[in-house]
Amino acid sequence: MRENLNYVWTDRKRIIFGLPWTFTKYKLNETCLYIKSGVFNVSEEEIRLYRILDITMKRSFWERLFGLGTLHLCTADKSTPEIDILHIKKPASIRTMLSDMIEKERSERYVGIREFMGDESDEYDGDGIH
C-alpha cells in the first residue's frame, strides 16, 4: 500500500465488540480504495473509484449492536468484480462519502456508463465493418 498518499479515510476490519484486532486495513484517497489483508501471506487490492458501479450497505444485528456495518461494492474491475469492506465504523457516512467521491472522479475523468456496459455496435465483426 502506498504510504505517501494523503488518505481521506482509513480503518480496519473489526471483530468482536468492534475492536480492530484484524490484519485487514482499508485506505481511501481521492482516486483509489486500497485493501490490504494478511500477516504471513499478504494481499493488496487497489480499486479505482471510477470503476465502482454500486455500493450496498449491510448491517447484521451484531454489527448494529456495535455500531458497525459492511459495504458491498460491485465494480467494473476484472480481477475484483465484487468486494466487501467488512465490519467498519460509521458505514452510512463512509458509503455517502465514497459515493460522492466516485461521482466526482467519474465527472473529472469524463467516464460514462458506456465504458462499463459492452456496446455491441463497437465490437469488431471480422469483415472490417463495425
Side-chain angles (χ1 to χ4, degrees):
M1 224 177 280
R2 299 177 183 161
E3 300 302 326
N4 60 351
L5 298 176
N6 294 326
Y7 296 107
V8 296
W9 173 73
T10 61
D11 202 354
R12 286 180 172 245
K13 175 180 156 187
R14 297 174 181 274
I15 56 171
I16 192 163
F17 306 121
L19 299 171
W21 291 341
T22 66
F23 296 102
T24 301
K25 296 179 184 177
Y26 307 110
K27 293 185 178 186
L28 176 66
N29 69 18
E30 297 294 328
T31 60
C32 293
L33 172 66
Y34 302 94
I35 301 171
K36 182 177 180 180
S37 59
V39 66
F40 295 116
N41 297 321
V42 176
S43 169
E44 295 184 27
E45 187 68 41
E46 175 182 326
I47 301 169
R48 302 265 175 198
L49 294 184
Y50 72 89
R51 298 186 76 56
I52 298 173
L53 302 174
D54 186 49
I55 305 171
T56 304
M57 183 174 70
K58 301 175 183 180
R59 297 186 76 195
S60 69
F61 172 75
W62 295 108
E63 284 178 319
R64 286 183 293 144
L65 191 63
F66 296 110
L68 305 175
T70 294
L71 298 180
H72 178 78
L73 309 178
C74 295
T75 74
D77 190 82
K78 293 191 187 292
S79 66
T80 312
E82 294 186 9
I83 196 155
D84 287 328
I85 302 174
L86 298 166
H87 316 308
I88 57 172
K89 291 182 358 181
K90 302 179 183 176
S93 64
I94 300 305
R95 179 188 61 188
T96 301
M97 178 179 65
L98 189 55
S99 182
D100 292 343
M101 290 174 70
I102 290 166
E103 290 304 316
K104 180 183 175 198
E105 187 68 10
R106 281 189 190 157
S107 67
E108 287 178 1
R109 291 181 175 266
Y110 303 106
V111 176
I113 196 70
R114 185 173 179 204
E115 177 185 327
F116 305 118
M117 308 304 274
D119 186 1
E120 293 177 15
S121 64
D122 288 342
E123 292 182 16
Y124 182 71
D125 64 5
D127 64 0
I129 301 171
H130 288 87

